[in-house]
Amino acid sequence: MARFLDIAARVSALFVFSACWGEIGDPGNTSGPCGDIPEPALKRLSHTEYRNTVRDLFPMITIPSLSLAPDPTPHGFDNDREALYAAPLLVNQYNAAAGLIAVEVRKKKATVLPCMASGGADCGHQYLSDLATRAFRRPVTDDEIAVLNQMFDSYLASNNFDVALELTTQSVLQAPQFLYRIETGTAENLTSQYDIASRLSYFLWSTMPDQALFDAAAANGLASNADITAQVDRMLADPRALDGFMNFTKQWLEDAR
């Protein structure tokens, strides 16, 4: 019984925070009854979120088995922000996982690439722009894409297209912008449209936003409660919502034992 009361208290706390600082979106809102809204903290993807995200990032390939040390679950759940630090072992495992995924990308490049590999650097740049935008869950910045393009060009010149493809794919998959949920709001608007898209997708699906959410964010289509309600209704009809619910329920009930 004590366990259930503890869980109930945590759930009640979520509603308190909602009353303090608004709902999942509230673009432009910077304060509430509890004071100024705190700046969003960095949060590493849990292993469930990571595996789901790489699956949806590369739907055209079969993701190999990825060995990752179990996530800590201090309160019964695997998405506790303070517990999700990147230990040295996990950093090495991310490196190995990125290598395995990149090999599969290279093997299936004809279906992965949005262009012909014979296009060389131009094709590589197009691929990286698309990949980084989806992996970072927001439009890639000029500086970010410049670094990736320079890396691709260097490997292409010293080796070949396949090597450049593999190594730059590995780089994207080990970037903090991918491994962590880094919100991009400004001092004037703490929550960007892309932040809202990620909040929705990881809350309901435990994975990255789909194209419909990306399109909505790009068109300022997550700016009202009605917009968000429409997306939630759509997302709840997707099988990924059931997967996310079952994952939450499993952890909840195990913690209640």
Side-chain angles (χ1 to χ4, degrees), residues 8-238:
R10 285 185 234 152
V11 173
S12 297
L14 293 177
F15 288 101
V16 170
F17 290 138
S18 176
C20 280
W21 294 307
E23 301 175 358
I24 195 166
D26 286 349
N29 188 29
T30 59
S31 64
C34 297
D36 292 341
I37 297 177
E39 292 187 10
L42 297 179
K43 179 182 179 297
R44 175 173 66 77
L45 298 179
S46 70
H47 293 344
T48 296
E49 293 169 339
Y50 174 85
R51 289 188 171 96
N52 290 346
T53 300
V54 294
R55 175 201 66 198
D56 293 340
L57 190 60
F58 299 105
M60 65 294 289
I61 69 173
T62 299
I63 301 299
S65 177
L66 306 175
S67 176
L68 300 172
D71 273 328
T73 56
H75 301 294
F77 297 96
D78 65 0
N79 61 348
D80 185 286
R81 177 183 61 80
E82 294 182 357
L84 294 178
Y85 57 89
L89 172 61
L90 183 57
V91 172
N92 290 334
Q93 290 176 326
Y94 278 146
N95 176 264
L100 292 173
I101 296 167
V103 167
E104 295 303 312
V105 168
R106 188 255 305 163
K107 289 179 179 178
K108 298 290 183 64
K109 65 182 177 183
T111 57
V112 173
L113 293 173
C115 47
M116 299 294 292
S118 58
D122 288 342
C123 181
H125 295 177
Q126 184 179 344
Y127 163 75
L128 287 170
S129 178
D130 175 70
L131 176 64
T133 295
R134 292 184 298 113
F136 298 171
R137 301 171 285 275
R138 55 161 174 77
V140 66
T141 67
D142 291 342
D143 288 343
E144 288 168 338
I145 197 60
V147 169
L148 290 170
N149 287 344
Q150 183 179 20
M151 187 185 305
F152 186 93
D153 293 347
S154 176
Y155 290 131
L156 179 64
S158 60
N159 294 276
N160 54 48
F161 187 95
D162 284 359
V163 170
L165 178 65
E166 278 196 38
L167 295 182
T168 51
T169 298
Q170 289 184 44
S171 180
V172 170
L173 292 178
Q174 295 179 82
Q177 300 96 312
F178 171 70
L179 295 173
Y180 288 81
R181 289 172 55 189
I182 304 173
E183 299 209 347
T184 57
T186 65
E188 293 74 27
N189 188 348
L190 291 180
T191 308
S192 79
Q193 293 278 288
Y194 292 95
D195 296 337
I196 297 171
S198 284
R199 290 182 189 183
L200 286 169
S201 65
Y202 282 101
F203 176 61
L204 294 176
W205 289 344
S206 296
T207 189
M208 62 181 284
D210 64 356
Q211 192 58 50
L213 277 173
F214 280 132
D215 291 344
N220 199 39
L222 298 172
S224 70
N225 286 338
D227 293 334
I228 293 172
T229 297
Q231 288 293 336
V232 168
D233 289 343
R234 178 186 68 84
M235 295 171 71
L236 288 176
D238 189 289

